[in-house]
Amino acid sequence: MMSTKKLAIVIPAYKDTYLEATLNSILSQTDNRFTVFIGDDASPFDLYSIVSKFENKIDINYVRFKENLGAKNLVAHWERCIDLCNEDWIWLFSDDDIMDATCVESFYIEVESHPEEALFHFDVEIIDKNGKTISYLPFSKQLNAEIFFWGKVTRQLSSFVVEYIFKRTLYIEKGGFEEFDLAWGSDDATWIKFMGNKPVYTIFGCKVYWRFSSSNISSNNGDKSFVERKIKANLQYLSWIDRYFKDNDLIDITTKLDKLRWMIESIKYTNIGLGKKIQVMKSASNGINAGRYYTLFGAIYLILFTLKTYTKGFTLFKK
């Protein structure tokens, strides 16, 4: 067994709602060969009053930054938190998600069994604010960048930031996290970049639980300008994918229809008007060079979805 702590669990922290639950899940680890680094993003909440409860129980370092960088550039905040540590392996976690008790133990077992790997992944369950499972879409044991992108666009895979552990040398070699506004798409682009032409390796037998709640970016669908920023970031991500796949001889197995449907799915539940949705969808179609047919398809899809939502008896949607 490895005898030294080589794993840093890095938490860019701002919210206090679930932070104690997060730290309790870390405290419960069956293998304590890790150090926790918490970067307080000038939070208006007293995060240290929560962190201090764990200082004599786990190896933990807390730093409060003077500037709220996450509101301007979330990726930059992630990276300054990573700069707090110098461990060989980095696990970028969050202030509201939780992990199974055997995650660290399982990670060390896999590292010893597969010393050539530089990127590991845990399967992730999406949970609600009460911890109830909403969705679970597991990975295969090894997954390449092409299948990963296809799985995300067709919504057959769930992937976030918190279920990956990566080697520091890989992080440096690949230039850190890919940056988009609101960090929207930054995680997916980064994992694709970290994979390159090599698959990601999933650790089975334990999971990470990503919390969907009113306090995270994913659920903010009522602010029109915020929604528009997320859609624009999606378009930037698709443009990045096109360049990256070509430059690295990767094959994009998704279709334009897959991509357009993904864009539509990302806006159909937002609290903005139908006209604005169609306008945004048209922009999305142009952004992925989808053509007039796909633009028309998207508009019809959104209109029918709206009718389904507001007319419960609409016959085309009856089961």
Side-chain angles (χ1 to χ4, degrees), residues 61-242:
N61 292 273
Y62 169 85
V63 173
R64 178 175 171 82
F65 295 108
K66 294 180 180 180
E67 179 190 5
N68 176 224
L69 184 58
K72 304 173 187 175
N73 188 329
L74 185 55
V75 168
H77 177 50
W78 291 350
E79 293 184 336
R80 74 172 174 179
C81 291
I82 288 174
D83 288 343
L84 296 174
C85 69
N86 59 12
E87 278 73 6
D88 293 342
W89 291 90
I90 300 165
W91 188 354
L92 185 65
F93 211 64
S94 76
D95 56 16
D96 52 8
D97 302 325
I98 55 178
M99 61 181 74
D100 276 336
T102 57
C103 281
V104 172
E105 178 183 356
S106 298
F107 160 72
Y108 276 114
I109 291 171
E110 294 294 346
V111 167
E112 291 181 345
S113 301
H114 304 279
E116 73 285 356
E117 301 294 338
L119 178 65
F120 289 93
H121 166 267
F122 296 103
D123 277 335
V124 60
E125 283 190 24
I126 301 175
I127 59 175
D128 65 14
K129 63 181 181 179
N130 299 314
K132 183 179 178 181
T133 298
I134 298 173
S135 175
Y136 173 50
L137 299 170
F139 279 29
S140 56
K141 188 65 176 178
Q142 295 187 63
L143 193 73
N144 64 28
E146 294 100 326
I147 298 298
F148 173 85
F149 177 65
W150 171 83
K152 285 304 301 289
V153 168
T154 58
R155 300 188 182 276
Q156 297 188 56
L157 291 175
S158 291
S159 175
F160 305 97
V161 174
V162 296
E163 70 273 24
Y164 293 83
I165 300 178
F166 49 91
K167 210 165 189 177
R168 176 178 294 279
T169 52
L170 178 66
Y171 173 77
I172 295 171
E173 174 193 339
K174 298 294 186 177
F177 280 85
E178 202 62 32
E179 185 179 325
F180 303 113
D181 186 27
L182 300 170
W184 199 247
S186 292
D187 51 344
D188 286 352
T190 298
W191 307 135
I192 288 171
K193 183 171 70 171
F194 282 14
M195 290 178 210
N197 297 98
K198 187 176 180 181
V200 62
Y201 194 94
T202 294
I203 300 171
F204 288 157
C206 49
K207 288 178 284 191
V208 167
Y209 302 84
W210 183 85
R211 194 183 304 274
F212 182 84
S213 70
S214 59
S215 60
N216 55 30
I217 292 174
S218 298
S219 63
N220 190 338
N221 290 322
D223 185 327
K224 185 184 298 185
S225 63
F226 204 75
V227 171
E228 290 175 349
R229 286 173 66 187
K230 290 196 289 187
I231 297 302
K232 184 177 180 180
N234 275 344
L235 291 171
Q236 292 171 342
Y237 168 59
L238 290 178
S239 295
W240 179 90
I241 284 289
D242 186 54

Side-chain angles (χ1 to χ4, degrees), residues 279-317:
Q279 180 183 339
V280 171
M281 182 277 306
K282 183 177 180 181
S283 174
S285 302
N286 293 334
I288 60 177
N289 193 25
R292 291 183 179 179
Y293 170 79
Y294 295 108
T295 304
L296 180 61
F297 164 82
I300 293 172
Y301 183 99
L302 282 172
I303 291 169
L304 292 179
F305 175 78
T306 303
L307 287 171
K308 175 190 175 184
T309 302
Y310 293 105
T311 310
K312 294 182 181 179
F314 192 61
T315 56
L316 287 180
F317 291 93

Side-chain angles (χ1 to χ4, degrees), residues 19 40 45-53 55 62:
L19 180 58
D40 183 334
F45 309 108
D46 183 9
L47 301 187
Y48 183 67
S49 65
I50 299 171
V51 174
S52 62
K53 300 176 184 178
E55 287 184 321
Y62 169 85

